Amino acid sequence: MTTMADVARHAGVSVATVSHVLNETRPVRPDTRAAVLRAIDELGYTHNTLARSLVTSRTRSIGLAVSAISNPYFTEILQGVEAEALAAGYSLLIADPHDDPEHERKVVRLLHERRVDGMIVAPSAEPAGMVDYLRRGKIPAVFLDRLVGDEHDQVCAESTAPVRHLVEHLADAGHTRIGLVAGLPGLSTTTERVQGYREGLRSRGLPFAPELLAGGNSEAEGAQDATRHLLAAPQPPTAIITANNAMTIGTLQALRDLGLAVPRDIALACFDDFSWADLFAPRLTAISQPSKEIGATAVRLLLERLEEPDRPPRTIRLPCAFVHRDSCGCGTDHADAP
């Protein structure tokens, strides 16, 4: 079995230098580092991270608790988390809380029991139990996508201004009855996107009509019901905004079932762009979130927290982009920051 001493002899360096390269405990000259890494590769040496964790109380692992991992938005966040963690020499343990508060507490506890160095969590609509567990255990954590108070590090995209921009865009195209399919109650993203919707109406002198706001519970099936509800109003909307990509799919399904064509019969704009939005017919006008950067920023915040446990918590908001396509029925391609 290849040892660290074997690597040191092969690279012509000391065992201490090999240790510094593996554990990143001291800067090493680039040519020396390259020689050590080459020796590790040629000899097939496997670093004993378990033994190191017993000495340092660090496992160089991060727990990631994110619901709906099959959702393209969270898939891109996962890619950002994974790339940044790997670059820093950390592995990931992933769990899906299913947006259920009880299950959320369970998976956070299980990740803690696996001795992760810290956690990145997309909180549920009722995160009090999970947050209390993290606080009592003094577990380094970062919340992403959804905000929870200001006691922890957090990172998310802007939500209010982008939805306001969508409303103003549709209003400027002549729509005065604009509906919103909103997300799961209790999520900060839902609250902020409804706020943006109301601000957009107000900025264009349009009244808020309660019958034009329907909850889709952040899922496709809920959005189908919400869309049918909106279109059953005595004065139905001529344009609809959906507050995430899963609900966009549900709204499109409902419109298809009702025999309505987008944008000929009704305009559509959505929060969340995704890689295949440009393949829909019509192509979807959308707000694009910096998903991978959200994930990468969460990792950087967590690593900073591990190095400086007592520093004040930070909340970082990243800007979105407006991607103008066909579904709003008012022009050709261009992208613009909201």
Side-chain angles (χ1 to χ4, degrees):
M1 180 178 180
T2 303
T3 66
M4 194 179 297
D6 295 328
V7 173
R9 280 192 296 272
H10 193 79
V13 300
S14 68
V15 172
T17 298
V18 175
S19 176
H20 289 314
V21 170
L22 290 170
N23 299 322
E24 300 179 354
T25 49
R26 195 187 72 187
V28 177
R29 286 172 43 189
D31 57 337
T32 302
R33 177 181 174 81
V36 171
L37 294 176
R38 185 164 56 250
I40 289 171
D41 185 56
E42 291 173 357
L43 296 177
Y45 174 71
T46 302
H47 187 35
N48 191 341
T49 55
L50 177 59
R52 177 172 178 265
S53 72
L54 293 175
V55 175
T56 65
S57 298
R58 291 278 188 92
T59 61
R60 295 193 75 81
S61 62
I62 293 172
L64 177 64
V66 177
S67 293
I69 291 173
S70 61
N71 184 313
Y73 169 64
F74 282 115
T75 300
E76 290 189 1
I77 282 182
L78 173 58
Q79 291 171 356
V81 169
E82 183 179 42
E84 192 71 18
L86 183 62
Y90 281 75
S91 60
L92 285 182
L93 277 69
I94 305 172
D96 188 339
H98 302 296
D99 269 334
D100 175 78
E102 184 175 348
H103 193 63
E104 177 180 65
R105 290 192 297 273
K106 179 179 179 181
V107 300
V108 165
R109 176 176 56 80
L110 289 174
L111 288 171
H112 185 211
E113 290 173 356
R114 298 301 188 276
R115 301 184 66 246
V116 296
D117 293 337
M119 294 189 207
I120 297 173
V121 183
S124 70
E126 299 176 32
M130 177 269 294
V131 173
D132 183 60
Y133 182 88
L134 293 174
R135 184 186 301 112
R136 286 187 288 106
K138 298 182 179 179
I139 302 166
V142 174
F143 296 140
L144 61 74
D145 185 58
R146 302 144 179 188
L147 304 183
V148 180
D150 56 6
E151 296 181 8
H152 286 80
D153 295 311
Q154 307 177 100
V155 57
C156 66
E158 293 285 357
S159 281
T160 302
V163 174
R164 172 176 173 157
H165 186 80
L166 288 180
V167 175
E168 292 172 342
H169 178 73
L170 292 168
D172 291 346
H175 295 281
T176 59
R177 300 280 293 174
I178 301 170
L180 175 68
V181 178
L184 188 67
L187 298 180
S188 65
T189 48
T190 299
T191 301
E192 291 179 358
R193 290 169 197 176
V194 171
Q195 178 183 342
Y197 169 71
R198 298 187 70 146
E199 286 183 5
L201 294 175
R202 188 162 53 248
S203 75
R204 291 301 185 264
L206 298 175
F208 170 71
E211 70 273 15
L212 295 183
L213 174 61
N217 287 326
S218 299
E219 60 182 17
E221 186 175 350
Q224 289 186 57
D225 294 338
T227 302
R228 295 189 188 98
H229 174 79
L230 290 175
L231 295 173
Q235 291 182 282
T238 60
I240 292 178
I241 295 170
T242 53
N244 76 5
N245 57 26
M247 292 190 294
T248 299
I249 300 302
T251 291
L252 285 168
Q253 290 172 330
L255 294 175
R256 181 199 60 192
D257 293 344
L258 293 167
L260 297 175
V262 176
R264 185 193 67 202
D265 300 318
I266 188 166
L268 179 66
C270 52
F271 198 104
D272 278 349
D273 199 19
F274 36 92
S275 58
W276 28 277
D278 203 36
L279 302 178
F280 276 80
R283 298 173 304 152
L284 299 175
T285 291
I287 294 295
S288 176
Q289 298 192 74
S291 309
K292 292 181 182 179
E293 184 58 25
I294 290 172
T297 301
V299 174
R300 290 193 289 268
L301 279 174
L302 182 59
L303 297 184
E304 290 173 11
R305 173 61 56 191
L306 292 173
E307 293 302 316
E308 299 180 64
D310 297 325
R311 69 166 176 78
R314 298 168 59 195
T315 295
I316 296 177
R317 289 181 176 269
L318 300 176
C320 296
F322 172 59
V323 184
H324 188 196
R325 299 192 182 100
D326 305 326
S327 64
C328 57
C330 53
T332 57
D333 285 350
H334 69 274
D336 184 27

